[in-house]
Amino acid sequence: MFSLLRISCRTAARRAVVQGPRRDLSEGAVGGGGSSGSTGTGDGEGTGSAAVAAATRKRLEGLVKKDKVVVFIKGTPAQPMCGFSNAVVQILRMHGVEDYGSYNVLEDQEIRQGIKNYSNWPTIPQIYFDGEFVGGCDILLQMHQNGDLVEELKKLGIRSALLDAEKEDKK
């Protein structure tokens, strides 16, 4: 299973490098309201776009700080809609992290594009610990594999379930 996760996350990381960084929200990259789901380019959109971008940034700041662990995924933890989102959910589940904020970017185009601009990270899923951007699926998987995730969770006051499983294996 981990080899499949590794391959999927490597592919996502390659896409991130190829796509390059997105413009910051403060540059007006997120378009105005409406249900079209389009993202603006910042060209000739006037001051209304800047107000929307500022409101989106403020909204996202609130969301990433709302819980100790926050994920922006495609779908929900109960029903992830892509392999990378599923990998993030599974890794958190393995560590026993069940109480975390989760936002389905497929339901809100403003969040979908806005979070990419907010973090300057071009892909979804995105993970935040204590309001700080951690990375995407590839980063979380790497942290899981090298043991850093256990330590980072500990800093948040979350005891990884893998520590308990390790004790049981030693008995």
Side-chain angles (χ1 to χ4, degrees), residues 29-61:
V30 174
S35 60
S36 68
S38 66
T39 56
T41 60
D43 298 331
E45 291 185 14
T47 58
S49 180
V52 170
T56 301
R57 177 172 273 299
K58 186 172 182 168
R59 178 180 176 205
L60 290 169
E61 284 175 357

Side-chain angles (χ1 to χ4, degrees), residues 9-10 21 25 32-34 36 43 46 49 64-65 88 95 108 125 132 138-139 145-146 151 161 166-168:
C9 289
R10 280 190 203 132
L25 266 177
S36 68
D43 298 331
S49 180
V64 301
K65 294 177 182 175
V88 166
H95 285 268
D108 188 332
E132 296 293 320
D138 53 338
I139 304 298
Q145 290 173 334
N146 67 20
E151 293 303 314
E166 196 174 280
K167 282 183 183 177
E168 289 295 318

Side-chain angles (χ1 to χ4, degrees), residues 110-154:
E110 188 175 294
I111 286 181
R112 186 176 187 169
Q113 185 59 44
I115 198 63
K116 293 175 184 179
N117 296 328
Y118 179 81
S119 64
N120 199 26
W121 188 263
T123 59
I124 303 292
Q126 292 190 16
I127 301 95
Y128 290 78
F129 289 168
D130 225 6
E132 296 293 320
F133 179 64
V134 174
C137 173
D138 53 338
I139 304 298
L140 193 68
L141 179 61
Q142 183 180 22
M143 290 173 67
H144 165 71
Q145 290 173 334
N146 67 20
D148 289 346
L149 185 54
V150 171
E151 293 303 314
E152 290 301 315
L153 292 173
K154 186 177 181 180

Side-chain angles (χ1 to χ4, degrees), residues 47-100:
T47 58
S49 180
V52 170
T56 301
R57 177 172 273 299
K58 186 172 182 168
R59 178 180 176 205
L60 290 169
E61 284 175 357
L63 293 178
V64 301
K65 294 177 182 175
K66 189 174 180 182
D67 296 286
K68 288 181 181 181
V69 177
V70 175
V71 295
F72 291 85
I73 61 174
K74 293 179 181 175
T76 64
Q79 190 173 9
M81 300 300 286
C82 82
F84 303 114
S85 295
N86 185 47
V88 166
V89 169
Q90 294 302 322
I91 291 168
L92 292 174
R93 190 172 291 148
M94 278 189 274
H95 285 268
V97 181
E98 295 177 12
D99 186 25
Y100 59 92

